[in-house]
Amino acid sequence: MRYIIIGAGAVGGTIGGRLAEAGQEVVLVARGAHYEALRDGGLRLTTPDGRHTDWLPVVEGPQQLGELREDDVLVLAVKTQDSTAAVDTWGHRPVAGGGTAAERLPLVCAQNGVASERIALRRFRHVYGMCVWLPATYVEPGAVSAAGTPLTGILHIGGYPSGTDETAHRISGDLEKSRFEAPVVPDVMRWKYAKLLGNLANTIEAVTGLLTGEDGRALYRRARAEGEAVLAAAGIEAAGEEEQKRARAEKVRLEPLCGSERGGGSSWQSLNRGTGTIEADYLNGEIALLGRLHGVPTPVNDALQRVANSFARERRAAGSMSVAELTALVDAEMDQ
């Protein structure tokens, strides 16, 4: 199998780098300065076992690859707000032997949130969900870091909307040779909804900084309570906290990385890089959507979604609002 990593940032770069180090064939897809740095200087991956430079093929898009191969696996690792464009770009590409990528190739959604699988399934016939537990950071163009050890991450994988098959098991086998644990599960969305509840803290962290104080954690608990309420109203089951703890155990510990200090999570990194976009519409916004569909008020997540999008549009610095100020904005939303 050849793995085409669409979005070679923190998650995609780490997965691609680890697969390549284990002998798998990998192509990275990146844009702009990141593409140029990967092309000219390789992928610089820092992990607890050292710094590695992986010289991998890198392209800006499918036109540089030409016809795709029958054994290609597309791994979608862009932010969810970029999923539609990526699916449109890659879906119509021809595959050796006939047909298109959307008709013939597996597409793995290695992303936060629960929306990309449905976006992909409109075009692709063979879609897989992946629940990503992978502490990683896009450091600068050409460089990513991953602080997890002894495993780099845990990547539950399964068919979408449900089920397992030989392809999922083959992908899992390659990942498990690459410093990951990759359980194949028939209910991968249960795991992704559980991760979604945890990711409701991403906006708070992005706007106010790491959640080290009780006030920030209290605000997260309010957002999560809304999330649990809307999932219950929608009849959606998420993996429980004890189940998640058993799955993680002590398999992924964080270690300080020399010269590559880990910042916040994915949303914090988007603000820190000034990308102009953030994934809040598919995290807090997913809870808001379900709340509107099922008649459950979600004022906390509504406010967090709005503030995060404002920060991204205005390119405000990550962590530049106090928890007290953000809480006041949330409380004002509840009073309306």
Side-chain angles (χ1 to χ4, degrees), residues 128 157 164-175 182-185:
Y128 298 80
I157 184 172
T164 64
D165 60 16
E166 181 183 352
T167 297
H169 282 280
R170 290 181 65 192
I171 295 169
S172 169
D174 289 343
L175 290 167
V184 179
V185 293

Side-chain angles (χ1 to χ4, degrees), residues 193 226-236 286-298:
Y193 274 105
E226 288 183 357
E228 291 172 347
V230 300
L231 293 189
I236 297 171
E286 185 71 32
I287 300 306
L289 170 62
L290 287 171
R292 291 164 195 153
L293 289 172
H294 297 281
V296 179
T298 58

Side-chain angles (χ1 to χ4, degrees), residues 26-75:
V26 175
V27 176
L28 303 178
V29 182
R31 297 180 297 182
H34 192 40
Y35 162 75
E36 293 172 0
L38 292 169
R39 179 196 63 195
D40 297 339
L43 171 67
R44 289 169 285 137
L45 176 60
T46 301
T47 66
D49 55 307
R51 295 179 179 177
H52 315 263
T53 298
D54 299 312
W55 292 91
L56 305 176
V58 58
V59 299
E60 289 186 287
Q63 65 279 359
Q64 291 174 266
L65 278 177
E67 191 174 60
L68 298 173
R69 294 176 4 191
E70 294 177 285
D71 65 340
D72 281 338
V73 175
L74 305 181
V75 179

Side-chain angles (χ1 to χ4, degrees), residues 8 68 126-127 167 200:
L68 298 173
H126 309 290
V127 175
T167 297
L200 299 180

Side-chain angles (χ1 to χ4, degrees), residues 29-307:
V29 182
R31 297 180 297 182
H34 192 40
Y35 162 75
E36 293 172 0
L38 292 169
R39 179 196 63 195
D40 297 339
L43 171 67
R44 289 169 285 137
L45 176 60
T46 301
T47 66
D49 55 307
R51 295 179 179 177
H52 315 263
T53 298
D54 299 312
W55 292 91
L56 305 176
V58 58
V59 299
E60 289 186 287
Q63 65 279 359
Q64 291 174 266
L65 278 177
E67 191 174 60
L68 298 173
R69 294 176 4 191
E70 294 177 285
D71 65 340
D72 281 338
V73 175
L74 305 181
V75 179
L76 194 60
V78 297
K79 296 292 195 299
T80 303
Q81 61 266 29
D82 297 320
S83 290
T84 297
V87 166
D88 289 345
T89 297
W90 288 86
H92 70 278
R93 300 301 300 184
V95 177
T100 65
E103 293 167 340
R104 298 189 56 198
L105 299 184
L107 177 73
V108 181
C109 297
Q111 300 159 288
N112 286 336
V114 295
S116 278
E117 287 81 2
R118 194 167 188 269
I119 291 170
L121 200 61
R122 291 181 183 275
R123 291 285 189 89
F124 279 77
R125 297 180 183 177
H126 309 290
V127 175
Y128 298 80
M130 178 176 282
C131 181
V132 178
W133 284 335
L134 172 54
T137 302
Y138 174 102
V139 179
E140 62 185 15
V144 299
S145 66
T149 190
L151 293 177
T152 301
I154 301 176
L155 309 172
H156 286 73
I157 184 172
Y160 180 77
S162 62
T164 64
D165 60 16
E166 181 183 352
T167 297
H169 282 280
R170 290 181 65 192
I171 295 169
S172 169
D174 289 343
L175 290 167
E176 294 203 336
K177 298 171 187 172
S178 310
R179 301 289 189 94
F180 297 105
E181 185 171 290
V184 179
V185 293
D187 53 358
V188 69
M189 298 312 291
R190 284 182 66 249
W191 295 90
K192 296 202 71 166
Y193 274 105
K195 179 84 183 305
L196 172 65
L197 291 174
N199 286 148
L200 299 180
N202 283 26
T203 289
I204 304 170
E205 176 188 71
V207 170
T208 70
L210 298 178
L211 270 65
T212 56
E214 177 56 29
D215 289 347
R217 291 192 291 267
L219 185 56
Y220 163 61
R221 288 194 293 270
R222 292 168 64 185
R224 184 184 177 100
E226 288 183 357
E228 291 172 347
V230 300
L231 293 189
I236 297 171
E237 182 182 358
E241 292 191 51
E242 287 302 317
E243 185 178 10
Q244 294 177 73
K245 287 179 183 178
R246 288 194 301 271
R248 294 179 185 180
E250 293 297 319
K251 300 171 185 175
V252 182
R253 301 189 313 272
L254 300 187
E255 285 196 0
L257 298 175
C258 179
S260 184
E261 183 178 352
R262 184 171 187 257
S266 55
S267 297
W268 184 92
Q269 292 177 49
S270 292
L271 292 185
N272 193 51
R273 296 201 308 274
T275 63
T277 66
I278 197 168
E279 60 192 338
D281 285 347
Y282 299 96
L283 301 179
N284 307 97
E286 185 71 32
I287 300 306
L289 170 62
L290 287 171
R292 291 164 195 153
L293 289 172
H294 297 281
V296 179
T298 58
V300 175
N301 285 282
D302 291 346
L304 293 176
Q305 179 186 7
R306 186 181 66 251
V307 172

